[in-house]
Amino acid sequence: MAVSLVLVGLLALEAVASVTIRKTDRGPTGYEVDFRYVNATAKRVLIGGGIQPFTDQFHTSGTSFRANGRYHPRDYQPGDFYVSNPSPQLPAEPAYIWPYEMNLTDAGKGEWTYTTPLPSGIYSFAYLINCNYAPNCSIDTGQLVVDPDLPPFMNVPGDQVASSFQVPFNPAFQDSPELNTNFDYALDASKSHRGTVKTVNYTSPGSIHPAPDVHDFSIYLPAEYGAVAGKKYPLLYLSHGAGGNGADWENLGRMSHIMDNLIRLGHIPPTVVVTPSFYNLLPGSEKFIYGNKSQSIPVPPAYLVRENFVEHLFPYVESKFDVCSNASCRAFAGLSMGGVLTYEMYVNATDMFDYYGMFSPATNAPYVTREDVARRPELGKKGIMVAWGLYDFVFNQARDLLTAFDGAVVGYVNRVTPFGSHYWNTWQDELWWFGQLVLWKGATGKETGRGKEPS
């Protein structure tokens, strides 16, 4: 019997869009996803906004990907995965036809539908109207429409430009002896283990969004939060990257679900997570508009973001929520340019955090040296994870960071996500392993996961 999950707006009297995830127990993945969208004036509708074609570990990069490494999900084989930002970029039609094209099934109603098999994972998407080349259609061109009945998690309208859903793993069709592509750790936990996530606005002088002198963050509160009087919870700050904001980790990475399951399985104690935004933060900065590809806004310097967070964000969080104020139960992590910010915190806010997660870090020299650690021994007494994807464009930068840590005799845990590019399936994987191996587990380098380091 097919089992389905229909994702529609709870308040919609008549849905104009829907996403239905069905367990089919047939190949190629054991699941199918039905998209439905109503637009009576559209001439063509593609599904884009983050969803990608598939590839395998033999056709993932460069010419190989461009020539024959882009697979339609109906041709899925166990171990296939998706990547983002391949180089060179996808060729335009007619050389390559985007796989996610909807069919006009009821012209009178303007009803468009599309059904596809999909394997385990998170998928972000939007509808691209009258679009002939998916990578070029965006809010800039006026061709991107967010699903009206599965709205993104965001603080104010416009802060996100894609919705998302998660497909479960079916081992009968997706199990691979070469790659573990089971992302069920990001599915919903049971209600008793399910935390809450919300956006918060706070006073931050000079901020220009969402209002003058007001900035925002998202916060995850574990299921137990508030049940134990006076309890202070460990606190993880988790940063987005370039072109993102504080809602990314929840909307595109299902952070709260990952945290629910890390806590449920006993990998970490109940933990509060704050996901801040580093754009539109500093006085005089240009306004960053989410998803705007035609307007390039520089990433604010990491040291200025650190100074601002120390002055405004961190005190606010500690004054409003039951969170720990000691370095031993505070952590900072981030992806890409958020990994740069994490490194900045490690070097220049060392006394504030004992744990650091640098995911796909876009860092550059100068790095910490052995002389730095001799002068400041606390640099060598932290829990650190550095992780990136095997097909990640920051591969060399992340490896250089590890080389510097080796030279400085700074311990760390390293993961190279075997299916990973610079994208959300990589960062989900890295947050999951950060929670299992590093977070709240003491300084890295003193012991491995299999006993003490050799003397």
Side-chain angles (χ1 to χ4, degrees):
M1 178 182 294
V3 178
S4 65
L5 171 65
V6 181
L7 307 174
V8 297
L10 296 178
L11 301 181
L13 297 178
E14 182 178 355
V16 294
S18 64
V19 175
T20 305
I21 303 167
R22 293 182 291 108
K23 185 178 182 182
T24 63
D25 286 324
R26 64 172 182 265
T29 69
Y31 281 91
E32 289 184 347
V33 180
D34 303 320
F35 295 86
R36 175 179 173 269
Y37 173 60
V38 176
N39 185 321
T41 62
K43 304 300 182 184
R44 187 186 191 194
V45 180
L46 304 182
I47 304 169
I51 196 168
Q52 303 288 337
F54 285 79
T55 188
D56 59 33
Q57 58 185 323
F58 306 107
H59 303 89
T60 309
S61 303
T63 302
S64 178
F65 183 88
R66 185 182 180 93
N68 60 359
R70 307 173 306 278
Y71 307 139
H72 194 291
R74 66 170 172 257
D75 299 320
Y76 170 87
Q77 295 181 11
D80 285 357
F81 52 91
Y82 59 79
V83 295
S84 180
N85 298 323
S87 180
Q89 289 289 331
L90 294 170
E93 294 182 359
Y96 175 65
I97 304 300
W98 186 248
Y100 306 104
E101 178 164 2
M102 303 190 79
N103 302 304
L104 182 59
T105 51
D106 189 329
K109 296 180 179 179
E111 182 174 277
W112 300 79
T113 60
Y114 178 78
T115 295
T116 184
L118 287 174
S120 175
I122 189 170
Y123 298 90
S124 57
F125 75 99
Y127 299 108
L128 308 180
I129 312 305
N130 301 330
C131 175
N132 290 324
Y133 183 54
N136 281 355
C137 300
S138 66
I139 61 169
D140 305 34
T141 64
Q143 295 169 284
L144 184 148
V145 176
V146 175
D147 190 313
D149 292 296
L150 184 59
F153 173 85
M154 56 187 169
N155 186 37
V156 295
D159 275 0
Q160 293 283 307
V161 294
S163 303
S164 65
F165 60 89
Q166 183 91 14
V167 176
F169 185 75
N170 190 325
F173 300 95
Q174 300 176 35
D175 200 28
S176 167
E178 298 174 340
L179 288 178
N180 180 2
T181 54
N182 182 348
F183 294 90
D184 280 1
Y185 56 77
L187 290 175
D188 291 349
S190 63
K191 287 186 178 180
S192 62
H193 292 97
R194 200 175 301 169
T196 58
V197 62
K198 61 183 179 179
T199 61
V200 178
N201 293 327
Y202 68 101
T203 299
S204 182
S207 172
I208 60 174
H209 183 80
D213 299 324
V214 175
H215 209 56
D216 65 285
F217 61 87
S218 301
I219 189 166
Y220 163 83
L221 302 174
E224 181 194 281
Y225 186 88
V228 182
K231 181 172 180 177
K232 300 292 186 180
Y233 290 85
L235 173 62
L236 166 64
Y237 287 93
L238 192 57
S239 178
H240 63 89
N245 63 33
D248 283 3
W249 268 106
E250 180 61 18
N251 188 51
L252 304 178
R254 292 175 68 92
M255 170 274 298
S256 66
H257 303 74
I258 296 174
M259 296 303 296
D260 287 344
N261 286 309
L262 285 169
I263 295 166
R264 176 181 64 86
L265 295 171
H267 295 306
I268 59 173
T271 297
V272 170
V273 183
V274 168
T275 59
S277 298
F278 59 62
Y279 284 108
N280 299 324
L281 179 68
L282 305 176
S285 59
E286 296 180 75
K287 185 167 184 178
F288 166 75
I289 300 174
Y290 198 99
N292 190 330
K293 297 182 179 180
S294 63
Q295 181 185 20
S296 178
I297 301 298
V299 175
Y303 77 94
L304 291 179
V305 176
R306 170 183 55 79
E307 291 174 352
N308 186 282
F309 283 0
V310 169
E311 184 175 0
H312 302 296
L313 173 65
F314 298 164
Y316 180 89
V317 170
E318 290 184 20
S319 70
K320 298 296 183 180
F321 298 95
D322 294 328
V323 293
C324 174
S325 59
N326 300 318
S328 62
C329 46
R330 289 195 302 198
F332 203 101
L335 65 90
S336 193
M337 292 305 295
V340 175
L341 180 58
T342 302
Y343 183 78
E344 169 68 24
M345 295 292 180
Y346 166 68
V347 173
N348 291 312
T350 314
D351 60 342
M352 299 191 71
F353 305 97
D354 273 358
Y355 297 92
Y356 300 89
M358 304 170 201
F359 309 151
S360 299
T363 49
N364 290 293
Y367 292 121
V368 65
T369 66
R370 186 174 296 207
E371 291 72 25
D372 294 329
V373 176
R375 289 191 302 270
R376 300 171 57 201
E378 65 274 16
L379 288 168
K381 300 177 181 178
K382 303 296 182 179
I384 298 173
M385 182 174 188
V386 182
W388 65 89
L390 183 60
Y391 310 103
D392 203 322
F393 64 74
V394 302
F395 189 106
N396 291 336
Q397 290 167 282
R399 186 175 55 185
D400 288 346
L401 175 58
L402 290 194
T403 300
F405 279 156
D406 288 340
V409 196
V410 170
Y412 57 82
V413 168
N414 169 228
R415 175 163 172 80
V416 179
T417 302
F419 49 79
S421 63
H422 206 74
Y423 208 48
W424 282 102
N425 52 347
T426 304
W427 302 321
Q428 281 188 309
D429 173 85
E430 291 165 0
L431 177 60
W432 176 245
W433 285 107
F434 181 60
Q436 289 193 62
L437 299 179
V438 176
L439 194 59
W440 321 135
K441 300 185 175 58
T444 46
K446 300 301 182 185
E447 293 185 357
T448 69
R450 299 184 177 182
K452 293 184 179 300
E453 293 280 8
S455 57

